[in-house]
Amino acid sequence: MGRAEEGAVGTVRFIDANVFIYAFLKPRREPPDTVKAIKEKAKGILRRVSDGEEVVTTVIHLSEVANVVESRAGKGKAAEIVLSVLTSQNIRVLDVSTADYLRAALIAEERNLGINDALAYLKMRELGIDEIYTFDRDFEKLDVKIVRE
């Protein structure tokens, strides 16, 4: 595989943990219309990924998904999602080193970001990725294109 943005299907985007979480979790009570709209957008993004669109995430972001899903929907559902992502041909899950996480923590401190958001940004920069699927507003502080549908 060449540079990340030269994927066979077009521009490769980073996919943030919150896309999976919004798509997979069922709310405990009736959500507001804004949350319903985000859930539908997240499901649409995952439909495109399921249909073969190439995306990138990290093992840390996948762990974030697993932790939230496990706490809300159980261990079985969390394992199912993790196995599905890890065995997908078009979802590239990047390893993260201790040095990567240290650099992410420094970026997070410098830019007032969450550490995992800074990690996504760091990995995007390393791969030349300019677009991210996310519903997290912290990315508005960064020089990336946010794709919400």
Side-chain angles (χ1 to χ4, degrees):
M1 187 168 168
R3 286 185 43 120
E5 74 267 14
E6 295 170 357
V9 183
T11 300
V12 174
R13 296 181 176 113
F14 193 95
I15 188 165
D16 197 8
N18 62 41
V19 175
F20 293 101
I21 292 166
Y22 274 113
F24 288 126
L25 284 186
K26 293 182 179 14
R28 292 183 177 141
R29 57 185 182 279
E30 187 66 21
D33 288 342
T34 54
V35 173
K36 284 182 189 175
I38 291 171
K39 282 188 71 53
E40 287 310 307
K41 289 178 181 182
K43 288 177 184 177
I45 292 166
L46 289 187
R47 266 191 298 278
R48 287 196 305 279
V49 171
S50 181
D51 289 342
E53 181 177 331
E54 293 183 34
V55 292
V56 173
T57 194
T58 72
V59 68
I60 299 293
H61 291 83
L62 186 56
S63 177
E64 193 176 339
V65 173
N67 287 337
V68 172
V69 171
E70 186 175 306
S71 72
R72 295 275 308 279
K75 294 173 185 168
K77 184 65 174 174
E80 176 188 322
I81 290 169
V82 168
L83 287 169
S84 176
V85 169
L86 290 174
T87 58
S88 172
Q89 294 297 309
N90 57 306
I91 302 174
R92 185 171 165 205
V93 180
L94 304 171
D95 289 331
V96 174
S97 69
T98 305
D100 290 334
Y101 221 48
L102 174 60
R103 288 196 329 262
L106 293 170
I107 292 168
E109 185 177 59
E110 177 184 297
R111 298 198 179 200
N112 192 29
L113 299 170
I115 292 174
N116 290 349
D117 294 344
L119 177 65
Y121 180 71
L122 175 72
K123 289 300 190 177
M124 289 173 69
R125 289 291 142 246
E126 285 178 4
L127 295 173
I129 295 174
D130 297 321
E131 298 184 7
I132 183 169
Y133 283 127
T134 188
F135 300 100
D136 187 333
R137 300 195 67 143
D138 267 354
F139 286 95
E140 294 173 2
K141 301 175 188 176
L142 303 170
D143 58 333
V144 298
K145 180 179 178 190
I146 298 168
V147 182
R148 292 190 169 108
E149 50 189 300

